Amino acid sequence: MDNRKYWLWLTMVFGIGSRRIWELMSLFETPDEAYYELRSGSSAARLYGKEQEAVSSTSVEAAELVLAECAKKGIKTVSYSSEDYPPQLRHIMNPPAILYYVGDICCLTGTRTVTTVGARKASDYSLRVTDRICSELAAGGIVIVSGFAVGVDITSHLAAASQGRPTAAVLGCGVDVDYPRENFRFRDEILDAGGVFISEYPPGTAPHAGNFPKRNRILSALGRAAVVFEASEKSGSLITASLAAEQGRDVFCMPPADIFSSAYSGNAALLREGAVPFFGAEDIASVFGYGTVLYEEVRSDAYSLLDKEEPPLRVHKHRVKAASALETYISADEDEELYEVKPDTADIQLEGVQKQIADALSEGALHADVLAQRLSMDSSELMTELTEMELLGVIKALPGKIYMKSSS
């Protein structure tokens, strides 16, 4: 059943991002049940202030009109109970009831994602680091999530798009609003690379200052790890980093370029509080290494793509390929104890570049740079292939960018 109009109705009555939605939903099984019970007045739920008036005066037809307007503008919607709802958001405090988006929201499911934040007026050094780190992460198959602001945010997005990789922009306004103006011209470039623009605010919503702190809980949650490039003492990036830590994410921080500069005072504070310093993209990517909690989390989300008889065409090709290879079969023995049967990597037929890589690793473990030299490959192209092969289960990543073949 399509419950989007009922989720939207709840946001129209109780407010976008309101915790009251989830307090009330704890009393109901579905949003349509909440609608009918609250509208009929038969619910035992206690309503405060003007909530009863809002319930009575707001019809579900009003929500249907908003959805129809979205369809006219080419804006898609996904609700908390939709299949395409990003799984990273399902278990955070106060998840968005409904999201509006343009592009491919499925680029966030079954993939490694990293949230990047930093100053709008970042130094040239910080922007160079941002561009290089995000380019390498994206080339390795990691989806960059950021806030589409000037400075570090847009540098992160464009670094990913330059690699032909998807990136997700989380907005504090409607997805159809031209904000910030200096970045709007880059939207097509991001969308052409398979990216997505996301907001919990309906079309036409202006970028009010109060929207962005509320937006940050979504920004921090969509990334399975968070990276701070440059932050002053009162930077909004620190709020996002704090939310990421509360949501159980690893927080990485760029070491200050100048320990005496106030521009990096936020970086120093984060490092004192336990954020992990990074000195290369591999430091960040390591949290997704074989056997880690995030590896299993991404793999579990990838399996969800296989629940349908045929994967939807909108799903990115590289994710379908990885998910298919990672499929796990759960069987029960006579004692009904569950065990996992791993796919046989011997059945996977490699072709082209991936076969060349596998042949090279047959001689023993090699550093990625050595592989690139032997195969005369660009390092970013090689990292993409290595990532897919790791997800396929035919190779393993060892510390220090060293790779080896997996045993069958």
Side-chain angles (χ1 to χ4, degrees), residues 120-258:
R120 287 174 170 79
K121 297 181 180 179
S123 68
D124 289 342
Y125 171 77
S126 296
L127 293 179
R128 288 202 309 274
V129 173
T130 300
D131 178 69
R132 179 166 177 175
I133 295 296
C134 291
S135 293
E136 292 180 3
L137 290 174
I142 291 176
V143 175
I144 302 297
V145 181
S146 201
F148 201 58
V150 296
V152 165
D153 287 9
I154 191 61
T155 302
S156 300
H157 291 306
L158 294 179
S162 71
Q163 301 297 319
R165 292 288 177 168
T167 177
V170 186
L171 309 181
C173 58
V175 293
D176 60 336
V177 175
D178 184 358
Y179 179 84
R181 287 190 179 276
E182 51 266 62
N183 290 352
F184 202 80
R185 58 196 170 100
F186 298 119
R187 289 171 72 103
D188 287 345
E189 185 174 345
I190 290 171
L191 292 172
D192 289 345
V196 63
F197 289 83
I198 301 174
S199 178
E200 67 175 332
Y201 297 99
T205 302
H208 298 296
N211 295 355
F212 294 91
K214 192 177 293 185
R215 177 278 311 261
N216 286 349
R217 79 190 193 286
I218 302 173
L219 178 61
S220 60
L222 284 176
R224 302 177 195 271
V227 181
V228 179
F229 285 100
E230 179 181 321
S232 61
E233 186 177 3
K234 296 182 179 180
S235 170
S237 299
L238 300 185
I239 297 174
T240 305
S242 178
L243 288 168
E246 291 173 7
Q247 292 163 346
R249 274 46 173 168
D250 288 293
V251 178
F252 292 88
C253 184
M254 185 183 79
D258 181 352

Side-chain angles (χ1 to χ4, degrees), residues 7-273:
W7 285 112
L8 177 52
W9 179 83
L10 287 168
T11 67
M12 296 172 73
V13 170
F14 298 102
I16 296 168
S18 172
R19 294 186 181 181
R20 281 290 286 156
I21 293 174
W22 299 103
E23 290 173 3
L24 291 168
M25 281 304 298
S26 67
L27 305 175
F28 305 105
E29 292 291 330
T30 60
D32 51 308
E33 178 188 348
Y35 169 77
Y36 289 112
E37 289 287 321
L38 292 172
R39 288 276 288 183
S40 67
S42 59
S43 170
R46 182 179 178 184
L47 299 178
Y48 302 98
K50 296 183 178 181
E51 289 180 346
Q52 184 59 66
E53 179 182 340
V55 166
S56 301
S57 61
T58 308
S59 67
V60 76
E61 286 75 22
E64 289 175 336
L65 288 175
V66 174
L67 293 175
E69 186 63 23
C70 287
K72 287 182 182 178
K73 293 183 176 181
I75 297 171
K76 303 169 188 175
T77 54
V78 61
S79 71
Y80 182 81
S81 53
S82 301
E83 286 184 347
D84 290 342
Y85 189 86
Q88 299 96 305
L89 299 178
R90 288 197 182 279
H91 304 296
I92 67 170
M93 183 176 292
N94 192 27
I98 192 164
L99 292 169
Y100 305 85
Y101 69 96
V102 176
D104 187 358
I105 200 169
C106 289
C107 71
L108 293 165
T109 302
T111 53
R112 297 167 298 162
T113 55
V114 166
T115 293
T116 61
V117 293
R120 287 174 170 79
K121 297 181 180 179
S123 68
D124 289 342
Y125 171 77
S126 296
L127 293 179
R128 288 202 309 274
V129 173
T130 300
D131 178 69
R132 179 166 177 175
I133 295 296
C134 291
S135 293
E136 292 180 3
L137 290 174
I142 291 176
V143 175
I144 302 297
V145 181
S146 201
F148 201 58
V150 296
V152 165
D153 287 9
I154 191 61
T155 302
S156 300
H157 291 306
L158 294 179
S162 71
Q163 301 297 319
R165 292 288 177 168
T167 177
V170 186
L171 309 181
C173 58
V175 293
D176 60 336
V177 175
D178 184 358
Y179 179 84
R181 287 190 179 276
E182 51 266 62
N183 290 352
F184 202 80
R185 58 196 170 100
F186 298 119
R187 289 171 72 103
D188 287 345
E189 185 174 345
I190 290 171
L191 292 172
D192 289 345
V196 63
F197 289 83
I198 301 174
S199 178
E200 67 175 332
Y201 297 99
T205 302
H208 298 296
N211 295 355
F212 294 91
K214 192 177 293 185
R215 177 278 311 261
N216 286 349
R217 79 190 193 286
I218 302 173
L219 178 61
S220 60
L222 284 176
R224 302 177 195 271
V227 181
V228 179
F229 285 100
E230 179 181 321
S232 61
E233 186 177 3
K234 296 182 179 180
S235 170
S237 299
L238 300 185
I239 297 174
T240 305
S242 178
L243 288 168
E246 291 173 7
Q247 292 163 346
R249 274 46 173 168
D250 288 293
V251 178
F252 292 88
C253 184
M254 185 183 79
D258 181 352
I259 62 173
F260 300 109
S261 171
S262 60
Y264 297 97
S265 57
N267 296 56
L270 285 173
L271 292 170
R272 289 192 187 101
E273 293 169 5

Side-chain angles (χ1 to χ4, degrees), residues 295-316:
Y295 176 89
E296 298 298 333
E297 183 179 300
V298 173
R299 189 173 71 162
S300 176
D301 289 347
Y303 292 161
S304 68
L305 299 174
L306 303 171
D307 289 340
K308 310 174 187 67
E309 290 184 5
E310 294 183 2
L313 293 178
R314 64 184 177 278
V315 174
H316 286 286

Side-chain angles (χ1 to χ4, degrees), residues 323-339:
S324 298
L326 289 169
E327 184 173 10
T328 296
Y329 302 93
I330 302 298
S331 305
D333 62 16
E334 294 179 353
D335 296 326
E336 297 185 349
E337 293 181 357
L338 296 180
Y339 62 93

